[in-house]
């Protein structure tokens, strides 16, 4: 797969930069061409001579290098490769990428490229857990940047936790996958996400606490495997990922309409937190405080989108997946929900406030299928999404 492929490898400034040397060797062994770029900080950890000797190519270091610019401009350099890889990707490089900064060669190449970008983050565990890095990682994933690692483990700084760069062979595998066609290439999948808003009047509505993060992560993971994704989303606080077809809706009834109008899909994942009820007789005008006293709201049940699609006679996706947000008897309730709604898989999660899952970065999933229950460890929502996307690819064959 790597034979004859061209990789632009950006080496950032971190202790893990020494592993980039091994990565170059592994890539070349497999027949890939590696064009190395060394950041200023990267050059503090590995020498341009070692990088260049292993790559068998000139190392690019300077944005304003006139000789290099005359030979091959930085725009061309960013586009000549089949894939751009950043290893190690430091907190600083991730911040620059997320912020759209282009003040040195590496960041300029990352802004100018039209190719996919795979990053292998490496940093101290506290830097990885810092809200700024969490935010930047979310932005980058949303922008379609591929990640490999970081792994858990002992770190050079003496701490333990996530932040260790993925091993060179893991990076090689991720490069292989990124250059591949993707197991879902040519497949159409539908994802619902976010909360719904059910209007009371033109300015007030009933909503729920869903951020839309899990749904957005699932859509991005499916896109990363090559799928064409229709993303039907309520008013979420997390932005929709790049590279998916976004259909923005507000109410449950609009969500059902959008789902019905979408092209036939081979898999449908219902991650939206759909309101169970809407307000009957919502007012066209803002309801005023007046002498007639407190307003009374009437409710009617919303259509169950997951059940409607699961129970279709024709055009049912081969794989229909629902979520079950529960606060007690998680597996029992999810198993019953799977049978009641007629979907194939239910991903059940405990949304009791003490779990911090609703609106948080992590999720703890029990996957309920016809074959039983599979318990997943507590994972970052992006890891849950990647795991689910891989299972969907496997099931669709
Ligand atoms: N769902 C849907 N349409 C609805 C309600 C829910 O498509 N009107 C989907 C959700 O996207 C999710 C699954 O159904 O995939 C489970 O939703 P949940 O709210 O947990 O279940 P309910 O059917 O509301 O059951 P309960 O009220 O008993 O929790």
């Amino acid at each position: 797969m790597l034979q004859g492929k061209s990789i632009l490898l950006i080496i950032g400034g971190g202790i893990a930069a020494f592993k980039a040397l091994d990565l170059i060797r592994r890539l070349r062994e497999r027949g890939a061409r590696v064009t190395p770029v060394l950041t200023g900080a990267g050059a503090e950890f590995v020498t341009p001579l070692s990088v260049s000797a292993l790559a068998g190519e000139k190392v690019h270091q300077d944005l304003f290098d006139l000789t290099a610019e005359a030979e091959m401009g930085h725009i061309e350099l960013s586009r000549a490769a089949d894939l751009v890889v950043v290893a190690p990707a430091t907190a600083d490089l991730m911040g620059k990428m997320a912020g759209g900064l282009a003040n040195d060669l590496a960041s300029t190449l990352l802004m100018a490229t039209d190719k996919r970008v795979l990053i292998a983050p490496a940093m101290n565990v506290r830097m990885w857990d810092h809200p700024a890095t969490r935010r930047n990682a979310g932005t980058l994933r949303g922008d379609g940047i591929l990640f490999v690692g970081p792994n858990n483990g002992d770190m050079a700084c003496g701490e333990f936790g996530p932040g260790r760069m993925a091993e060179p062979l893991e990076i090689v595998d991720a490069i292989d996958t990124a250059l591949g066609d993707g197991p879902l290439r040519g497949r159409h999948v539908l994802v619902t996400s976010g909360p719904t808003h059910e209007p009371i009047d033109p300015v007030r509505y009933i909503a729920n606490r869903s951020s839309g993060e899990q749904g957005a992560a699932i859509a991005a993971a499916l896109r990363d495997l090559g799928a064409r994704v229709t993303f039907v989303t309520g008013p979420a606080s997390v932005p929709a990922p790049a590279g998916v077809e976004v259909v923005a809706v507000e109410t449950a009834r609009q969500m059902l309409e959008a789902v019905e109008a979408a092209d036939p899909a081979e898999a449908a994942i219902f991650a939206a937190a759909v309101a169970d009820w809407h307000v009957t007789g919502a007012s066209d005008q803002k309801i005023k405080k007046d002498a007639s006293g407190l307003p009374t709201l009437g409710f009617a049940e919303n259509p169950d989108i997951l059940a409607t699609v699961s129970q279709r006679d024709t055009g049912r996706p081969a794989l229909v997946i629902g979520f079950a947000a529960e606060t007690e008897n998680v597996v029992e309730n999810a198993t019953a929900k799977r049978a009641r709604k007629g979907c194939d898989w239910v991903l059940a999660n405990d949304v009791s406030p003490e779990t911090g899952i609703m609106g948080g970065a992590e999720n703890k999933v029990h996957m309920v299928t016809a074959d039983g229950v599979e318990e997943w460890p507590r994972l970052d929502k992006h890891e849950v999404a990647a795991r689910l996307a891989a299972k969907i690819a496997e099931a669709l064959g």
Side-chain angles (χ1 to χ4, degrees):
M1 181 68 90
L2 288 172
Q3 185 65 41
K5 296 290 184 190
S6 177
I7 311 290
L8 183 73
L9 175 65
I10 297 174
I11 304 173
I15 193 76
F18 78 93
K19 291 201 224 171
L21 298 177
D22 190 32
L23 175 63
I24 296 174
R25 200 169 62 82
R26 306 277 185 182
L27 290 169
R28 293 201 65 206
E29 273 169 9
R30 286 162 178 74
R33 174 180 169 191
V34 180
T35 306
V37 173
L38 195 55
T39 65
E44 299 288 334
F45 291 88
V46 289
T47 69
L49 189 61
S50 338
V51 174
S52 158
L54 283 165
E57 295 220 17
K58 169 184 158 58
V59 184
H60 299 268
Q61 289 182 275
D62 191 358
L63 180 57
F64 302 109
D65 177 340
L66 287 180
T67 326
E69 206 59 27
E71 286 165 3
M72 186 194 247
H74 61 263
I75 300 284
E76 205 182 323
L77 186 60
S78 75
R79 298 187 185 165
D82 295 301
L83 183 73
V84 179
V85 177
V86 188
T90 57
D92 177 65
L93 263 174
M94 287 176 61
K96 279 184 177 161
M97 289 171 77
L101 300 185
N103 60 353
D104 58 13
L105 182 61
S107 52
T108 304
L109 292 172
L110 286 160
M111 281 286 280
T113 189
D114 58 352
K115 296 297 167 8
R116 299 187 94 182
V117 177
L118 170 74
I119 69 172
M123 65 197 74
N124 167 273
V125 56
R126 289 195 198 286
M127 291 173 79
W128 176 252
D129 284 338
H130 193 283
T133 310
R134 311 302 315 152
R135 221 167 32 240
N136 291 337
T139 303
L140 294 175
R141 287 185 207 269
D143 288 348
I145 303 294
L146 304 171
F147 280 60
V148 51
N151 296 341
N152 267 308
D154 286 318
M155 313 195 70
C157 50
E159 291 184 59
F160 182 89
R164 242 174 100 107
M165 188 169 89
E167 296 305 319
L169 285 180
E170 289 175 80
I171 302 177
V172 168
D173 278 349
I175 292 174
D176 228 1
T177 309
L179 286 170
D181 254 355
L184 290 174
R185 180 87 46 209
R187 306 317 255 291
H188 178 224
V189 297
L190 177 102
V191 179
T192 71
S193 183
T196 62
H197 285 182
E198 307 296 336
I200 296 170
D201 67 19
V203 297
R204 305 180 179 95
Y205 56 83
I206 292 173
N208 61 64
R209 294 185 199 281
S210 166
S211 63
E213 182 162 0
Q214 187 64 82
I218 291 168
L222 291 163
R223 169 206 63 196
D224 289 346
L225 295 187
R228 172 162 86 84
V229 182
T230 299
F231 185 63
V232 180
T233 177
S237 48
V238 166
V244 304
E245 191 184 318
V246 181
V247 185
V249 299
E250 199 169 314
T251 68
R253 288 164 293 166
Q254 289 166 355
M255 188 173 274
L256 175 64
E257 234 172 77
V259 166
E260 300 281 29
D263 289 345
E266 290 179 66
I269 301 95
F270 293 89
V274 185
D276 288 318
W277 311 283
H278 65 266
V279 177
T280 50
S283 171
D284 289 344
Q285 303 297 330
K286 184 175 172 222
I287 302 171
K288 304 292 287 176
K289 288 192 293 294
D290 59 24
S292 58
L294 296 174
T296 307
L297 299 181
F299 289 96
E301 201 162 329
N302 272 331
D304 190 317
I305 307 165
L306 170 62
T308 307
V309 172
S310 296
Q311 292 161 24
R312 262 185 201 161
D313 291 329
T314 51
R316 182 191 190 277
L319 190 58
V320 180
I321 302 169
F323 274 76
E326 307 289 346
T327 53
E328 55 183 357
N329 306 325
V330 177
V331 170
E332 293 84 331
N333 286 343
T335 307
K337 201 168 279 183
R338 179 179 168 277
R340 191 170 69 243
K341 299 206 183 195
C343 57
D344 302 298
W345 301 350
V346 169
L347 296 203
N349 50 10
D350 185 345
V351 291
S352 312
E354 62 274 17
T355 65
I357 283 173
M358 199 95 173
E362 291 185 334
N363 207 348
K364 168 90 178 82
V365 163
H366 305 260
M367 179 173 154
V368 181
T369 70
D371 299 330
V373 184
E374 191 179 298
E375 192 166 331
W376 295 5
R378 193 174 168 111
L379 296 167
D380 184 281
K381 286 182 178 172
H382 294 281
E383 290 172 296
V384 168
R387 219 178 238 240
L388 178 63
K391 283 193 180 284
I392 292 170
E394 201 184 310
L396 292 183

